[in-house]
Amino acid sequence: KQPVAVLISGRGSNMGALIAASLDKDYPARIVTVISDKPDAKGLDHAREFGINAVAVPRADFDSKAAHEAAIIAAIDASGAKFVALAGYMRLLSGDFVNTYAGRMINIHPSLLPAFAGLATHERALATGCRVHGCTVHFVTEAMDEGPIIEQEAVRVEANDTPETLAARVLEAEHRIYPKALAMLASGQVRMGRGGQTRFAD
Ligand code: GAR
């Protein structure tokens, strides 16, 4: 199984979905460490309940963004992880960080990219009048939320949806596509091409 580090900032429900999937003996990846920039992230406790190494690397402990990122890279590399999965990690990564894991780092985003990059995606989808919304797993590149797409799932918008009800249904879809996308990456079914495009194996 390919070793994976998961980066979180909060609840960690997507992290939980990856851990749950990885418990299957046939799943091609295993979660070797969970790293949070927030010491009080609920996901840290959840990971520890599964016996997974879980560490906080708070931004406030470092003088600069570069020093903080260097500490996270050190933690990832110490774990032996080959792949990195961002799961609600709410900090913009530098180009250096992204390039360190080029083609080996993926993210889940709560919209059908390229629509609604950034924050407050459910509010914006409702305000736009979208009838279809959803979620995306993509390779991480320097431009935020613009990396090549690996997997998406569409979610219908209902007439009486609020940002909260819509977010809850999108989250269920996130929990389906993130384990699927990580399995595709870990098993070599998908990779990032040199030109920054998604390549699926034949
Ligand atoms: C998820 O909806 C994820 O897609 C989103 O944060 C939530 C984290 O929930 N990520 C982003 O908005 C990234 N820009 P979780 O901690 O329960 O997985």
Side-chain angles (χ1 to χ4, degrees):
K1 292 193 180 211
Q2 299 286 353
V4 177
V6 180
L7 269 56
I8 63 169
S9 294
R11 179 177 57 182
S13 72
N14 277 290
M15 172 211 76
L18 296 180
I19 293 172
S22 72
L23 298 178
D24 188 308
K25 68 172 175 32
D26 295 327
Y27 195 78
R30 65 193 164 94
I31 311 306
V32 292
T33 191
V34 172
I35 301 167
S36 172
D37 62 321
K38 298 271 186 280
D40 55 355
K42 292 271 183 296
L44 288 173
D45 294 331
H46 191 199
R48 287 179 190 127
E49 286 167 13
F50 285 90
I52 294 171
N53 169 266
V55 291
V57 184
R59 172 69 180 86
D61 289 0
F62 300 88
D63 290 341
S64 65
K65 180 183 175 83
H68 181 230
E69 288 193 342
I72 292 176
I73 288 172
I76 293 169
D77 292 352
S79 77
K82 176 172 177 195
F83 296 107
V84 180
L86 306 181
Y89 185 72
M90 302 308 277
R91 214 168 261 286
L92 200 56
L93 296 169
S94 71
D96 281 349
F97 192 110
V98 168
N99 290 329
T100 301
Y101 300 105
R104 297 190 289 134
M105 180 159 61
I106 60 178
N107 179 48
I108 183 131
H109 182 78
S111 76
L112 289 175
L113 291 170
F116 309 121
L119 300 175
T121 56
H122 310 301
E123 286 84 346
R124 288 154 62 210
L126 288 174
T128 305
C130 293
R131 305 301 308 277
V132 175
H133 184 44
C135 50
T136 303
V137 179
H138 62 94
F139 285 106
V140 179
T141 56
E142 279 202 60
M144 187 189 67
D145 299 335
E146 284 185 18
I149 292 169
I150 299 171
E151 186 56 289
Q152 295 184 302
E153 186 173 322
V155 174
R156 283 207 71 80
V157 178
E158 304 296 343
N160 55 358
D161 260 329
T162 64
E164 291 73 28
T165 60
L166 185 54
R169 291 205 311 290
V170 171
L171 194 65
E172 289 177 17
E174 293 183 41
H175 296 168
R176 282 189 288 271
I177 68 167
Y178 212 2
K180 184 177 170 193
L182 179 62
M184 289 166 72
L185 179 67
S187 64
Q189 283 174 268
V190 68
R191 64 180 177 83
M192 192 167 83
R194 286 187 198 284
Q197 68 291 70
T198 307
R199 294 274 190 218
F200 294 97
D202 296 333

